[in-house]
Amino acid sequence: MRGMLVAGNWKMNASLQSIETLINGIKQGLESVSENCGVVVCPPSIYISKVNELTQGSRILLGAQNVCEEDKGAFTGEVAGTMIKEFNCTYAIVGHSERRNIYRETDELVAKRFAAARRAGIIPILCVGELLEEREAGNTEDIVGKQLDAVLALEGIDAFADAVIAYEPVWAIGTGKTATPDQAQEVHAFIRSKLAGISKDIANNIILQYGGSVNGANAEELFAMEDIDGGLIGGAALKAEEFLKICAAGK
Ligand code: 13P
């Protein structure tokens, strides 16, 4: 039976000082979080080493916000899977909509990054999701389907036995406009049934997170939906109390 997973994507926020306050705050409230719910933080890569130290001995797991598609070499500004693995990262986000839309990462590049994470022994959190105009044009399943197909084509279904998918409708990210539980559930069910068409087992076991303006007040009704197995949290992951409330909704 799949568990729940709540991951905080700090994006490009934090400082040495704020990290310490945030991690200590999360640590102190962890007893309110079910053992069934994994708790992950994804700091900017420069802080991974520090957060690794601060989380030692706790159940907080670490994730990176991206990973290079290559293993080493002349790729200025990039970070390799082997490097983040050395600092104890269990997860790496790939294909976040900010990477796709601001930095023009294509479905094919995201698939290569997904593969690179797995080569390094890291569980990819593959982000998928549609823009507002794509939803309004009725193309949500098409877009999300294509984003999944690129990874399936490169890596095959078996790669999803050790992966997480986060559905993040772009129009809900950082806007305060959450997808309703029914809207989110509809896309989650689509993702699960698409995978089930290839492997029922993998589809049943994969964790499907929802992301986009999740907060302490709306997490419970989202996470109660059949195919929503936790969340990928942006803004609300920057305050320990709010993040813990969301984690506590992961029952
Ligand atoms: P917000 O929770 O700030 O909307 O961000 C969601 C997100 O992009 C997480 O990856």
Side-chain angles (χ1 to χ4, degrees):
M1 185 53 193
R2 58 182 190 264
M4 302 287 283
L5 188 70
V6 175
N9 173 11
W10 296 357
K11 308 193 179 185
M12 201 173 72
N13 297 294
S15 66
L16 277 176
Q17 198 187 358
S18 74
I19 282 170
E20 202 150 338
T21 312
L22 180 52
I23 294 296
N24 288 336
I26 297 172
K27 273 179 169 170
Q28 278 162 23
L30 278 174
E31 70 276 9
S32 62
V33 180
S34 151
E35 288 296 330
N36 187 42
C37 181
V39 178
V40 183
V41 294
C42 304
S45 56
I46 195 164
Y47 295 125
I48 286 175
S49 164
K50 180 72 185 168
V51 175
N52 183 32
E53 286 169 23
L54 292 168
T55 52
Q56 286 301 314
S58 83
R59 55 180 278 217
I60 303 171
L61 296 173
L62 255 178
Q65 294 180 15
N66 205 353
V67 58
C68 185
E69 69 279 12
E70 301 289 343
D71 295 335
K72 64 174 180 165
F75 302 98
T76 301
E78 291 293 331
V79 178
T82 50
M83 298 172 184
I84 55 177
K85 184 74 183 171
E86 277 193 301
F87 288 96
N88 232 0
C89 283
T90 305
Y91 298 93
I93 298 170
V94 296
H96 192 278
S97 65
E98 286 146 22
R99 300 302 315 177
R100 293 178 187 268
N101 298 320
I102 306 173
Y103 298 100
R104 299 282 157 221
E105 292 189 12
T106 60
D107 291 351
E108 290 68 33
L109 180 64
V110 169
K112 287 183 184 165
R113 290 182 168 224
F114 179 103
R118 294 190 64 251
R119 276 201 302 282
I122 288 166
I123 300 170
I125 299 177
L126 172 68
C127 298
V128 296
E130 80 289 359
L131 301 167
L132 183 59
E133 57 264 36
E134 292 166 338
R135 169 162 285 262
E136 284 172 347
N139 292 335
T140 299
E141 293 189 358
D142 237 36
I143 295 295
V144 171
K146 278 201 190 99
Q147 292 168 338
L148 292 172
D149 282 339
V151 180
L152 285 165
L154 186 70
E155 286 286 86
I157 187 70
D158 288 347
F160 286 89
D162 232 350
V164 173
I165 297 173
Y167 169 58
E168 299 205 307
V170 181
W171 48 271
I173 295 178
T175 56
K177 233 197 222 175
T178 325
T180 64
D182 287 336
Q183 279 175 321
Q185 166 60 27
E186 197 180 0
V187 182
H188 281 235
F190 162 73
I191 295 171
R192 208 180 295 283
S193 74
K194 181 174 167 70
L195 298 180
I198 320 172
S199 165
K200 283 208 167 62
D201 228 32
I202 288 174
N204 276 338
N205 287 320
I206 194 165
I207 289 181
L208 301 183
Q209 295 178 315
Y210 167 78
S213 299
V214 178
N215 58 41
N218 62 24
E220 200 159 329
E221 52 172 13
L222 284 161
F223 297 176
M225 302 308 283
E226 187 178 346
D227 289 298
I228 302 183
D229 313 312
L232 185 55
I233 319 301
L238 298 170
K239 288 178 223 114
E241 201 185 329
E242 191 75 8
F243 185 60
L244 283 163
K245 259 192 219 158
I246 298 169
C247 293
K251 288 174 222 149

